[in-house]
Coordinates of all heavy atoms in Angstrom, one line a residue:
G37 N 47.5 33.1 -12.8 CA 46.3 32.6 -13.4 C 45.8 31.4 -12.8 O 44.5 31.2 -12.7
R38 N 46.7 30.5 -12.3 CA 46.2 29.3 -11.6 C 45.7 29.5 -10.2 O 45.0 28.7 -9.7 CB 47.4 28.3 -11.6 CG 47.6 27.6 -12.9 CD 48.9 26.7 -12.9 NE 48.9 25.8 -14.0 CZ 49.3 26.1 -15.3 NH1 49.7 27.3 -15.6 NH2 49.3 25.1 -16.2
L39 N 46.1 30.6 -9.6 CA 45.7 31.0 -8.3 C 44.5 31.9 -8.2 O 43.9 32.0 -7.2 CB 46.9 31.6 -7.5 CG 48.1 30.7 -7.3 CD1 49.2 31.5 -6.6 CD2 47.8 29.5 -6.5
L40 N 44.1 32.5 -9.3 CA 43.0 33.4 -9.3 C 41.7 32.6 -9.0 O 41.5 31.5 -9.4 CB 42.8 34.0 -10.7 CG 43.8 35.1 -11.1 CD1 43.5 35.6 -12.5 CD2 43.6 36.3 -10.2
G41 N 40.9 33.3 -8.1 CA 39.7 32.6 -7.7 C 39.8 31.8 -6.5 O 38.8 31.3 -5.9
R42 N 41.0 31.5 -6.1 CA 41.2 30.7 -4.9 C 40.8 31.5 -3.6 O 41.2 32.6 -3.5 CB 42.7 30.3 -4.7 CG 43.2 29.3 -5.8 CD 43.0 27.9 -5.4 NE 43.8 27.5 -4.2 CZ 45.0 26.9 -4.2 NH1 45.6 26.6 -5.3 NH2 45.6 26.7 -3.1
T43 N 40.1 30.8 -2.8 CA 39.6 31.5 -1.5 C 40.4 31.1 -0.3 O 40.1 31.5 0.8 CB 38.1 31.3 -1.3 OG1 37.9 29.9 -1.2 CG2 37.3 31.8 -2.5
D44 N 41.3 30.2 -0.5 CA 42.1 29.6 0.7 C 43.4 30.2 0.9 O 44.2 29.8 1.7 CB 42.2 28.1 0.6 CG 42.8 27.7 -0.8 OD1 43.0 28.5 -1.6 OD2 43.1 26.5 -0.9
L45 N 43.7 31.3 0.1 CA 45.0 32.0 0.3 C 44.8 33.4 -0.2 O 43.8 33.8 -0.9 CB 46.2 31.3 -0.5 CG 46.0 31.0 -2.0 CD1 46.2 32.2 -2.9 CD2 47.0 29.9 -2.3
E46 N 45.8 34.3 0.2 CA 45.7 35.7 -0.2 C 46.9 36.0 -1.1 O 48.1 35.8 -0.7 CB 45.7 36.6 1.1 CG 45.7 38.1 0.8 CD 45.8 38.9 2.0 OE1 45.7 38.4 3.1 OE2 46.1 40.2 1.9
L47 N 46.6 36.6 -2.2 CA 47.7 36.9 -3.2 C 48.1 38.4 -2.9 O 47.3 39.3 -2.9 CB 47.2 36.8 -4.6 CG 47.5 35.5 -5.3 CD1 46.9 35.6 -6.8 CD2 49.0 35.2 -5.4
L48 N 49.4 38.6 -2.6 CA 50.0 39.9 -2.5 C 50.5 40.4 -3.9 O 51.2 39.6 -4.5 CB 51.1 39.9 -1.5 CG 50.8 39.4 -0.1 CD1 52.1 39.5 0.8 CD2 49.7 40.2 0.6
S49 N 50.2 41.6 -4.3 CA 50.6 42.0 -5.6 C 51.3 43.4 -5.4 O 51.0 44.2 -4.6 CB 49.4 42.2 -6.5 OG 49.4 41.3 -7.5
I50 N 52.4 43.5 -6.2 CA 53.1 44.8 -6.2 C 52.5 45.8 -7.2 O 52.0 45.4 -8.3 CB 54.6 44.5 -6.6 CG1 55.5 45.7 -6.2 CG2 54.8 44.1 -8.0 CD1 57.0 45.4 -6.2
D51 N 52.6 47.0 -6.9 CA 52.2 48.1 -7.8 C 53.1 48.0 -9.0 O 54.3 48.0 -8.9 CB 52.3 49.4 -7.1 CG 51.9 50.6 -7.9 OD1 51.9 50.5 -9.2 OD2 51.5 51.6 -7.3
P52 N 52.5 47.9 -10.2 CA 53.3 47.8 -11.4 C 54.4 48.9 -11.5 O 55.5 48.6 -12.0 CB 52.3 47.9 -12.6 CG 51.0 47.4 -12.0 CD 51.1 47.8 -10.5
A53 N 54.1 50.1 -11.0 CA 55.1 51.1 -11.0 C 56.3 50.9 -10.1 O 57.3 51.6 -10.2 CB 54.5 52.5 -10.7
K54 N 56.2 49.9 -9.2 CA 57.2 49.7 -8.2 C 57.9 48.3 -8.4 O 58.6 47.8 -7.4 CB 56.6 49.8 -6.8 CG 56.1 51.2 -6.4 CD 55.7 51.2 -5.0 CE 55.2 52.6 -4.6 NZ 54.8 52.7 -3.2
R55 N 57.7 47.7 -9.5 CA 58.3 46.3 -9.7 C 59.8 46.3 -9.6 O 60.4 45.3 -9.3 CB 57.9 45.8 -11.1 CG 56.4 45.3 -11.2 CD 56.1 44.9 -12.5 NE 54.7 44.5 -12.6 CZ 53.9 44.5 -13.7 NH1 54.4 45.0 -14.8 NH2 52.6 44.2 -13.6
K56 N 60.5 47.4 -9.9 CA 61.9 47.5 -9.7 C 62.3 48.2 -8.5 O 63.5 48.5 -8.3 CB 62.5 48.1 -11.0 CG 62.3 47.3 -12.2 CD 63.0 47.9 -13.4 CE 62.8 47.0 -14.7 NZ 63.6 47.6 -15.9
D57 N 61.4 48.5 -7.6 CA 61.7 49.2 -6.3 C 62.1 48.1 -5.3 O 61.2 47.3 -4.8 CB 60.4 49.9 -5.9 CG 60.7 50.7 -4.6 OD1 61.5 50.3 -3.8 OD2 60.0 51.7 -4.4
E58 N 63.4 48.0 -5.0 CA 63.8 47.0 -4.1 C 63.2 47.0 -2.7 O 62.9 46.0 -2.1 CB 65.4 47.0 -4.0 CG 65.9 45.9 -3.2 CD 67.5 45.8 -3.2 OE1 68.0 45.6 -4.3 OE2 68.1 46.1 -2.2
S59 N 63.0 48.2 -2.2 CA 62.4 48.3 -0.9 C 61.0 47.8 -0.8 O 60.6 47.2 0.1 CB 62.5 49.8 -0.4 OG 61.7 50.6 -1.2
E60 N 60.2 48.0 -1.9 CA 58.9 47.5 -1.9 C 58.8 46.0 -2.1 O 58.0 45.3 -1.5 CB 58.1 48.2 -3.1 CG 56.6 47.8 -3.2 CD 55.7 48.1 -2.0 OE1 56.2 48.8 -1.0 OE2 54.6 47.7 -2.0
R61 N 59.7 45.5 -3.0 CA 59.8 44.1 -3.1 C 60.2 43.4 -1.8 O 59.7 42.4 -1.4 CB 60.8 43.7 -4.2 CG 60.4 44.0 -5.7 CD 61.4 43.7 -6.7 NE 62.0 42.4 -6.5 CZ 63.3 42.1 -6.4 NH1 64.2 43.1 -6.4 NH2 63.7 40.8 -6.2
K62 N 61.2 44.0 -1.1 CA 61.6 43.5 0.2 C 60.5 43.5 1.2 O 60.3 42.5 1.9 CB 62.8 44.3 0.7 CG 63.3 43.8 2.0 CD 64.5 44.6 2.5 CE 65.1 44.1 3.8 NZ 66.3 44.8 4.2
R63 N 59.7 44.5 1.2 CA 58.5 44.6 2.1 C 57.5 43.4 1.8 O 57.1 42.7 2.8 CB 57.8 45.9 2.0 CG 56.6 46.0 2.9 CD 55.8 47.3 2.7 NE 55.0 47.3 1.5 CZ 53.9 46.7 1.4 NH1 53.3 46.0 2.4 NH2 53.2 46.7 0.2
L64 N 57.2 43.2 0.6 CA 56.3 42.1 0.2 C 56.9 40.7 0.4 O 56.2 39.8 0.8 CB 55.8 42.3 -1.2 CG 54.9 43.6 -1.5 CD1 54.8 43.9 -2.9 CD2 53.6 43.3 -0.8
L65 N 58.1 40.6 0.1 CA 58.8 39.3 0.3 C 58.7 38.9 1.8 O 58.4 37.7 2.1 CB 60.3 39.4 -0.1 CG 60.6 39.3 -1.6 CD1 62.0 39.7 -1.9 CD2 60.3 37.9 -2.2
N66 N 58.9 39.9 2.7 CA 58.9 39.6 4.1 C 57.5 39.5 4.7 O 57.3 39.1 5.8 CB 59.8 40.6 4.8 CG 61.3 40.3 4.6 OD1 61.9 39.5 5.3 ND2 61.9 41.1 3.7
A67 N 56.5 40.0 3.9 CA 55.1 39.9 4.4 C 54.5 38.6 4.0 O 53.4 38.3 4.6 CB 54.3 41.1 3.8
A68 N 55.1 37.9 3.2 CA 54.5 36.6 2.6 C 54.8 35.4 3.5 O 55.9 35.3 4.1 CB 55.0 36.4 1.2
D69 N 53.9 34.5 3.5 CA 54.1 33.2 4.1 C 55.0 32.4 3.1 O 55.9 31.6 3.5 CB 52.8 32.5 4.4 CG 52.0 33.1 5.5 OD1 52.5 33.0 6.7 OD2 51.0 33.8 5.2
V70 N 54.7 32.5 1.8 CA 55.5 31.9 0.8 C 55.7 32.9 -0.3 O 54.8 33.5 -0.8 CB 54.8 30.6 0.2 CG1 55.7 30.1 -1.0 CG2 54.6 29.5 1.2
A71 N 57.0 33.1 -0.6 CA 57.4 34.0 -1.7 C 57.8 33.1 -2.9 O 58.7 32.3 -2.7 CB 58.5 34.9 -1.3
I72 N 57.2 33.3 -4.1 CA 57.5 32.6 -5.3 C 58.4 33.5 -6.2 O 58.0 34.6 -6.5 CB 56.3 32.1 -6.0 CG1 55.3 31.4 -5.1 CG2 56.7 31.3 -7.2 CD1 54.0 31.0 -5.7
L73 N 59.6 33.0 -6.5 CA 60.5 33.8 -7.3 C 60.4 33.4 -8.7 O 60.8 32.3 -9.1 CB 61.9 33.6 -6.8 CG 62.1 33.8 -5.2 CD1 63.6 33.7 -4.9 CD2 61.6 35.2 -4.8
C74 N 60.0 34.3 -9.6 CA 59.9 34.1 -11.0 C 60.9 35.1 -11.7 O 60.4 36.0 -12.4 CB 58.5 34.2 -11.5 SG 57.3 33.1 -10.8
L75 N 62.1 34.9 -11.5 CA 63.1 35.9 -11.8 C 64.3 35.2 -12.5 O 64.5 34.0 -12.5 CB 63.7 36.5 -10.5 CG 62.6 37.1 -9.6 CD1 63.2 37.4 -8.2 CD2 62.0 38.4 -10.1
H76 N 65.2 36.0 -13.1 CA 66.4 35.5 -13.7 C 67.3 35.0 -12.5 O 67.1 35.5 -11.3 CB 67.2 36.6 -14.4 CG 66.5 37.0 -15.7 ND1 66.3 36.1 -16.7 CD2 65.9 38.2 -16.1 CE1 65.7 36.8 -17.7 NE2 65.4 38.0 -17.4
D77 N 68.2 34.1 -12.7 CA 68.9 33.4 -11.7 C 69.6 34.4 -10.7 O 69.6 34.3 -9.5 CB 70.0 32.5 -12.3 CG 69.3 31.3 -12.9 OD1 68.1 31.2 -12.9 OD2 70.1 30.4 -13.3
D78 N 70.3 35.4 -11.3 CA 71.1 36.3 -10.4 C 70.1 37.2 -9.6 O 70.4 37.5 -8.4 CB 72.0 37.2 -11.3 CG 71.3 38.0 -12.4 OD1 70.1 37.6 -12.7 OD2 71.8 39.0 -12.9
V79 N 69.0 37.6 -10.1 CA 68.0 38.3 -9.4 C 67.3 37.5 -8.3 O 67.0 37.9 -7.2 CB 66.9 39.0 -10.3 CG1 66.0 39.9 -9.5 CG2 67.6 39.7 -11.4
A80 N 67.1 36.2 -8.6 CA 66.5 35.3 -7.6 C 67.5 35.1 -6.4 O 67.0 35.1 -5.3 CB 66.2 33.9 -8.3
K81 N 68.7 35.0 -6.7 CA 69.7 34.8 -5.6 C 69.7 36.1 -4.7 O 69.7 36.0 -3.5 CB 71.1 34.6 -6.2 CG 71.3 33.2 -6.8 CD 72.7 33.1 -7.4 CE 72.8 31.7 -8.1 NZ 74.2 31.6 -8.7
A82 N 69.6 37.3 -5.4 CA 69.6 38.5 -4.6 C 68.3 38.6 -3.8 O 68.3 39.1 -2.7 CB 69.7 39.7 -5.6
A83 N 67.2 38.1 -4.4 CA 65.9 38.2 -3.7 C 65.9 37.4 -2.4 O 65.4 37.8 -1.4 CB 64.8 37.7 -4.6
V84 N 66.6 36.2 -2.4 CA 66.7 35.4 -1.2 C 67.4 36.2 -0.1 O 67.0 36.1 1.1 CB 67.5 34.1 -1.5 CG1 67.7 33.3 -0.2 CG2 66.7 33.3 -2.5
G85 N 68.4 37.0 -0.5 CA 69.1 37.8 0.5 C 68.3 39.0 1.1 O 68.7 39.5 2.1
L86 N 67.1 39.3 0.4 CA 66.3 40.4 0.9 C 65.3 39.8 2.0 O 64.7 40.6 2.7 CB 65.4 41.0 -0.2 CG 66.2 41.7 -1.3 CD1 65.2 42.2 -2.4 CD2 66.9 42.9 -0.7
V87 N 65.2 38.5 2.1 CA 64.3 37.9 3.1 C 64.9 37.9 4.5 O 65.9 37.2 4.7 CB 63.8 36.5 2.6 CG1 62.9 35.9 3.7 CG2 63.1 36.6 1.3
E88 N 64.3 38.6 5.4 CA 64.8 38.7 6.8 C 63.8 38.0 7.7 O 64.1 37.7 8.9 CB 65.0 40.1 7.2 CG 66.1 40.8 6.4 CD 66.2 42.3 6.6 OE1 65.2 42.8 7.2 OE2 67.2 42.9 6.2
N89 N 62.6 37.8 7.3 CA 61.5 37.2 8.1 C 61.7 35.7 8.1 O 61.6 35.0 7.1 CB 60.2 37.6 7.5 CG 59.0 37.0 8.3 OD1 59.2 36.3 9.3 ND2 57.8 37.2 7.9
P90 N 62.0 35.1 9.3 CA 62.3 33.7 9.4 C 61.0 32.9 9.1 O 61.1 31.7 8.8 CB 62.7 33.4 10.8 CG 62.2 34.6 11.6 CD 62.2 35.8 10.6
G91 N 59.9 33.5 9.1 CA 58.6 32.8 8.7 C 58.3 32.8 7.3 O 57.4 32.1 6.8
T92 N 59.1 33.5 6.4 CA 58.8 33.5 5.0 C 59.5 32.3 4.4 O 60.7 32.1 4.6 CB 59.4 34.8 4.4 OG1 58.6 35.9 4.8 CG2 59.2 34.7 2.8
R93 N 58.8 31.5 3.7 CA 59.3 30.4 2.9 C 59.5 30.7 1.5 O 58.7 31.6 1.0 CB 58.4 29.1 3.1 CG 58.3 28.8 4.6 CD 57.1 27.8 4.8 NE 57.5 26.5 4.4 CZ 56.7 25.5 4.3 NH1 55.4 25.7 4.6 NH2 57.1 24.3 4.0
I94 N 60.4 30.1 0.8 CA 60.7 30.5 -0.6 C 60.6 29.4 -1.6 O 61.1 28.3 -1.3 CB 62.1 31.1 -0.7 CG1 62.2 32.4 0.2 CG2 62.4 31.5 -2.1 CD1 63.6 33.0 0.3
L95 N 59.8 29.6 -2.6 CA 59.7 28.7 -3.7 C 60.3 29.4 -5.0 O 59.8 30.3 -5.5 CB 58.3 28.3 -4.0 CG 57.9 27.5 -5.2 CD1 58.6 26.1 -5.2 CD2 56.4 27.2 -5.3
D96 N 61.5 28.9 -5.4 CA 62.2 29.5 -6.5 C 62.0 28.8 -7.8 O 62.3 27.6 -8.0 CB 63.7 29.5 -6.2 CG 64.6 30.3 -7.2 OD1 63.9 30.9 -8.1 OD2 65.8 30.2 -7.1
A97 N 61.4 29.5 -8.7 CA 61.1 28.9 -10.1 C 62.2 29.1 -11.0 O 62.1 28.7 -12.2 CB 59.8 29.6 -10.6
S98 N 63.3 29.8 -10.6 CA 64.4 30.0 -11.5 C 65.3 28.7 -11.4 O 65.0 27.8 -10.6 CB 65.2 31.2 -11.1 OG 66.1 30.9 -10.0
S99 N 66.4 28.7 -12.1 CA 67.4 27.6 -12.0 C 68.5 27.8 -11.0 O 69.4 27.1 -10.9 CB 67.9 27.2 -13.4 OG 68.7 28.3 -13.9
A100 N 68.4 28.9 -10.2 CA 69.5 29.4 -9.4 C 69.8 28.4 -8.3 O 71.0 28.3 -7.8 CB 69.1 30.7 -8.8
H101 N 68.8 27.6 -7.7 CA 69.0 26.8 -6.5 C 68.7 25.3 -6.7 O 68.5 24.6 -5.7 CB 68.2 27.4 -5.4 CG 68.6 28.8 -5.0 ND1 67.9 29.9 -5.4 CD2 69.7 29.3 -4.3 CE1 68.4 31.0 -5.0 NE2 69.5 30.7 -4.3
R102 N 68.6 24.9 -7.9 CA 68.2 23.5 -8.2 C 69.1 22.4 -7.7 O 68.7 21.3 -7.4 CB 67.8 23.3 -9.6 CG 66.5 24.1 -10.0 CD 66.2 23.9 -11.4 NE 65.0 24.8 -11.8 CZ 64.8 25.3 -13.0 NH1 65.6 25.0 -14.0 NH2 63.8 26.1 -13.2
V103 N 70.4 22.7 -7.6 CA 71.3 21.8 -7.1 C 72.1 22.4 -5.9 O 73.2 22.0 -5.6 CB 72.3 21.3 -8.2 CG1 71.6 20.5 -9.2 CG2 73.1 22.4 -8.8
A104 N 71.5 23.4 -5.3 CA 72.2 24.1 -4.2 C 71.9 23.4 -2.9 O 70.9 22.8 -2.6 CB 71.6 25.6 -4.1
E105 N 72.9 23.5 -2.0 CA 72.8 22.9 -0.7 C 71.7 23.6 0.1 O 71.6 24.9 0.1 CB 74.2 23.1 0.0 CG 74.3 22.2 1.2 CD 74.4 20.7 0.9 OE1 75.0 20.4 -0.2 OE2 74.0 19.9 1.7
G106 N 70.9 22.9 0.8 CA 69.9 23.5 1.7 C 68.6 23.7 1.0 O 67.6 24.1 1.7
W107 N 68.5 23.4 -0.3 CA 67.2 23.5 -1.0 C 66.6 22.1 -1.3 O 67.4 21.2 -1.7 CB 67.5 24.3 -2.3 CG 67.7 25.7 -2.1 CD1 68.9 26.3 -1.6 CD2 66.8 26.8 -2.3 NE1 68.8 27.7 -1.5 CE2 67.5 28.0 -1.9 CE3 65.5 26.9 -2.7 CZ2 66.9 29.3 -2.0 CZ3 64.9 28.2 -2.8 CH2 65.6 29.3 -2.4
V108 N 65.3 22.0 -1.2 CA 64.6 20.8 -1.5 C 64.2 20.8 -2.9 O 63.6 21.9 -3.4 CB 63.5 20.5 -0.5 CG1 62.6 19.3 -1.0 CG2 64.0 20.3 0.9
Y109 N 64.4 19.8 -3.7 CA 64.0 19.7 -5.1 C 62.5 19.5 -5.2 O 61.9 18.6 -4.6 CB 64.7 18.6 -5.8 CG 64.6 18.7 -7.3 CD1 65.0 19.8 -8.0 CD2 64.2 17.6 -8.0 CE1 65.0 19.8 -9.4 CE2 64.1 17.6 -9.4 CZ 64.5 18.7 -10.1 OH 64.4 18.8 -11.5
G110 N 61.8 20.4 -5.9 CA 60.3 20.4 -5.9 C 59.7 19.5 -7.0 O 58.8 20.0 -7.7
F111 N 60.1 18.3 -7.0 CA 59.4 17.3 -7.8 C 58.8 16.2 -6.9 O 59.4 15.3 -6.5 CB 60.5 16.6 -8.7 CG 59.9 15.7 -9.8 CD1 60.8 15.3 -10.8 CD2 58.6 15.4 -9.9 CE1 60.3 14.5 -11.9 CE2 58.1 14.6 -10.9 CZ 58.9 14.2 -11.9
P112 N 57.5 16.5 -6.5 CA 56.9 15.6 -5.5 C 56.9 14.1 -5.8 O 56.9 13.3 -4.9 CB 55.5 16.1 -5.4 CG 55.5 17.5 -5.9 CD 56.6 17.5 -7.0
E113 N 56.9 13.8 -7.1 CA 56.8 12.4 -7.5 C 58.1 11.7 -7.7 O 58.2 10.6 -8.1 CB 56.0 12.3 -8.9 CG 54.6 12.9 -8.9 CD 54.5 14.4 -9.2 OE1 55.6 15.0 -9.3 OE2 53.4 14.9 -9.3
L114 N 59.2 12.4 -7.3 CA 60.6 11.9 -7.5 C 60.8 10.6 -6.8 O 61.4 9.7 -7.4 CB 61.6 12.9 -6.9 CG 63.0 12.6 -7.1 CD1 63.4 12.6 -8.6 CD2 63.9 13.6 -6.4
G115 N 60.3 10.4 -5.6 CA 60.5 9.2 -4.9 C 59.7 9.2 -3.5 O 59.2 10.3 -3.2
P116 N 59.7 8.1 -2.8 CA 59.1 8.1 -1.5 C 59.6 9.2 -0.6 O 60.8 9.4 -0.4 CB 59.4 6.7 -0.9 CG 59.7 5.9 -2.2 CD 60.4 6.8 -3.1
G117 N 58.7 9.9 0.1 CA 59.1 11.0 1.0 C 59.4 12.3 0.4 O 59.6 13.3 1.1
Q118 N 59.5 12.4 -0.9 CA 59.8 13.7 -1.5 C 58.7 14.8 -1.3 O 59.0 15.9 -1.0 CB 60.0 13.6 -3.0 CG 60.7 14.8 -3.7 CD 62.1 15.0 -3.3 OE1 62.8 14.1 -2.8 NE2 62.6 16.2 -3.4

Side-chain angles (χ1 to χ4, degrees):
R38 283 171 163 82
L39 296 177
L40 283 177
R42 292 270 298 263
T43 59
D44 53 354
L45 51 78
E46 178 184 348
L47 266 178
L48 305 178
S49 248
I50 194 167
D51 183 333
K54 295 184 177 181
R55 282 178 184 151
K56 295 186 178 180
D57 184 332
E58 185 173 294
S59 62
E60 180 63 5
R61 286 178 53 233
K62 181 176 181 179
R63 182 184 73 80
L64 290 166
L65 284 166
N66 285 281
D69 293 287
V70 176
I72 306 175
L73 309 182
C74 300
L75 307 163
H76 291 295
D77 287 6
D78 55 344
V79 184
K81 291 177 181 177
V84 174
L86 295 177
V87 177
E88 298 171 344
N89 180 359
T92 296
R93 302 166 74 188
I94 300 175
L95 174 57
D96 185 6
S98 81
S99 62
H101 299 102
R102 289 179 187 153
V103 293
E105 197 68 32
W107 289 74
V108 170
Y109 192 57
F111 191 170
E113 301 89 355
L114 185 65
Q118 191 69 21

